[in-house]
Amino acid sequence: MPEVIRRSERKMTAGLKEQDIYDLIIIGAGPAGMSAGIYAARKLLKTLLISKNVGGQVTDAWEIDNYLGFSQVDPAGLIKKFNEHVEKFSIEKIIARHVASLQINDDIKSVTTDDGKTYYAKTLIIATGKRPRKLGLPEEKKLGGKGVAYCATCDAPLFAGADVAVAGGGNSALGAAMDLIKIANSVHIVSITPLTGDPIYQDKLRSSDKVTIYTEHEIVKLVGDTVLEGLEIRSLKTGETKRLDVEGLFVEIGLLPNSDIVKGMLNLNQYGEIVVDYKCHTGFPGVFACGDVTNVPFKQVIVAAGEGAKAALAAYEYLISGN
Ligand SMILES: Cc1cc2nc3c(=O)[nH]c(=O)nc-3n(C[C@H](O)[C@H](O)[C@H](O)COP(=O)(O)OP(=O)(O)OC[C@H]3O[C@@H](n4cnc5c(N)ncnc54)[C@H](O)[C@@H]3O)c2cc1C
């Protein structure tokens, strides 16, 4: 650890020894968190990376064709490369655990995981990304993984020859429908608005005889006890309801930031994203955020990786100068 950090005079939480305290805990091992890990390690920060999974949303992508230096790389291959790079450095990792709560008020911050263990650090980087938005219907939880899916790239092959529906009208939904027409028997698109996804997708889908489009319709009920058997949809214009007999429903209605653990602690915008400045400062001393969980626009792998680098450098700057 750099001498300048060892000499830093920071208020210790009672009973904690210096060796129990990390310089930095990074929460999330998507592109942002992994990139932050590499930059922190190169600054010789004693770093702990805690994440539910490795790769984040990249694991849901079909193909990544816009990350500099990698043309048409499969997402698993890109994550493997990222992970191999992180593995080169001596970063401690806890994977397949999620952070359940945080305490950020003191100089020494604490992070508690779902198994009840608590870890301490002088700085934190929140790189928790986003998750799919749910419909909010009562049967949704019960039928999740039993016909109701949130990732067409991952689960579309399970519905070969089946009748399926896609909820949503944006690019994610239309992209899912494009995947599904290759393998499903029929695809119903149900959107509460007119379709907003790229016209090129719209044209292709409208010209497919497998596709039926219901715009200005909402899904009001999921039917099925143990597996999905159908949907009830309602026209927003006429109130008329209709049943669709489908075995699969892909919910593609946007993403929500994983910012619940900092709700009430950090400044969030109207979308629930953590508000950061150009150096990933959250406004709370020693707490930084990066990637898709923040208000930084353009949610892309390369942007998240760049923001992760900035967050680690900002954490280092804070450790050596207190700013
Ligand atoms: C289907 C799909 C296709 C895409 N295609 C492309 C593309 O072609 N090109 C492109 O550039 N971008 C693409 N993206 C966007 C890109 O994947 C994201 O912008 C990028 O992954 C964001 O990185 P991140 O690290 O900020 O967040 P994420 O990738 O969301 O990673 C967040 C990490 O935090 C972890 N986490 C969350 N909460 C907790 C918690 N409480 N405790 C512990 N860990 C937690 C998660 O498990 C995850 O590992 C795509 C996204 C999707 C969904």
Side-chain angles (χ1 to χ4, degrees):
M1 188 195 312
E3 183 65 15
V4 67
I5 294 175
R6 237 182 283 133
R7 278 194 276 108
S8 73
E9 290 177 0
R10 296 187 180 282
K11 195 176 83 188
M12 294 282 144
T13 301
L16 272 182
K17 299 189 190 102
E18 179 73 40
Q19 65 264 30
D20 297 330
I21 301 167
Y22 292 92
D23 293 316
L24 169 65
I25 294 178
I26 301 166
I27 307 170
M34 287 202 271
S35 171
I38 289 169
Y39 274 76
R42 285 176 53 80
K43 291 292 185 190
L44 302 181
L45 301 184
K46 184 180 168 190
T47 302
L48 174 64
L49 178 62
I50 305 177
S51 188
K52 284 187 204 167
N53 76 357
V54 172
Q57 292 168 67
V58 180
T59 55
D60 298 340
W62 174 246
E63 180 183 81
I64 303 282
D65 192 24
N66 49 9
Y67 191 79
L68 188 65
F70 293 86
S71 178
Q72 292 190 324
V73 66
D74 81 293
L78 189 63
I79 294 167
K80 189 163 171 274
K81 285 271 180 204
F82 286 172
N83 202 31
E84 281 167 1
H85 198 172
V86 174
E87 291 285 334
K88 269 182 56 187
F89 299 97
S90 57
I91 301 170
E92 285 181 51
K93 283 198 249 157
I94 299 174
I95 303 299
R97 284 264 159 251
H98 74 264
V99 170
S101 63
L102 298 176
Q103 178 286 113
I104 60 172
N105 288 314
D106 296 329
D107 280 354
I108 304 300
K109 287 92 179 66
S110 69
V111 170
T112 302
T113 46
D114 55 327
D115 56 355
K117 293 189 180 154
T118 299
Y119 304 88
Y120 299 90
K122 296 169 189 167
T123 58
L124 297 181
I125 292 179
I126 320 290
T128 46
K130 290 202 162 176
R131 65 180 185 283
R133 184 193 292 273
K134 307 226 157 136
L135 290 167
L137 292 172
E139 310 84 1
E140 192 171 0
K141 195 168 179 195
K142 181 178 77 177
L143 296 172
K146 292 168 182 153
V148 177
Y150 299 89
C151 173
T153 314
C154 326
D155 295 337
L158 304 173
F159 295 89
D163 298 309
V164 298
V166 176
N171 269 338
S172 306
L174 301 194
M178 292 291 292
D179 281 349
L180 285 161
I181 53 172
K182 292 179 204 143
I183 52 165
N185 181 52
S186 69
V187 181
H188 302 272
I189 300 172
V190 184
S191 170
I192 56 167
T193 60
L195 299 187
T196 55
D198 289 347
I200 190 161
Y201 284 155
Q202 294 193 32
D203 288 351
K204 281 190 180 155
L205 291 166
R206 286 186 206 282
S207 65
S208 166
D209 54 12
K210 284 189 178 182
V211 175
T212 316
I213 299 172
Y214 300 92
T215 53
E216 291 164 271
H217 277 72
E218 63 177 343
I219 298 173
V220 286
K221 191 169 181 203
L222 305 179
V223 183
D225 282 331
T226 51
V227 292
L228 184 74
E229 291 164 11
L231 315 175
E232 210 172 283
I233 64 171
R234 181 169 56 206
S235 163
L236 297 176
K237 279 185 177 160
T238 64
E240 201 181 318
T241 58
K242 179 179 174 64
R243 172 160 166 159
L244 303 178
D245 291 317
V246 293
E247 291 167 54
L249 169 65
F250 288 83
V251 181
E252 299 282 353
I253 53 172
L255 298 166
L256 290 174
N258 294 317
S259 57
D260 296 358
I261 51 172
V262 295
K263 215 173 184 171
M265 301 180 195
L266 300 180
N267 187 14
L268 306 182
N269 68 11
Q270 58 179 318
Y271 308 109
E273 297 167 333
I274 302 171
V275 176
V276 291
D277 70 6
Y278 72 108
K279 279 189 175 177
C280 306
H281 294 140
T282 61
F284 213 98
V287 182
F288 305 84
C290 54
D292 277 18
V293 75
T294 70
N295 62 330
V296 170
F298 313 124
K299 311 302 189 200
Q300 290 285 286
V301 176
I302 200 157
V303 176
E307 290 293 306
K310 281 167 57 186
L313 295 174
Y316 178 73
E317 201 171 72
Y318 169 83
L319 284 164
I320 58 172
S321 69
N323 293 309

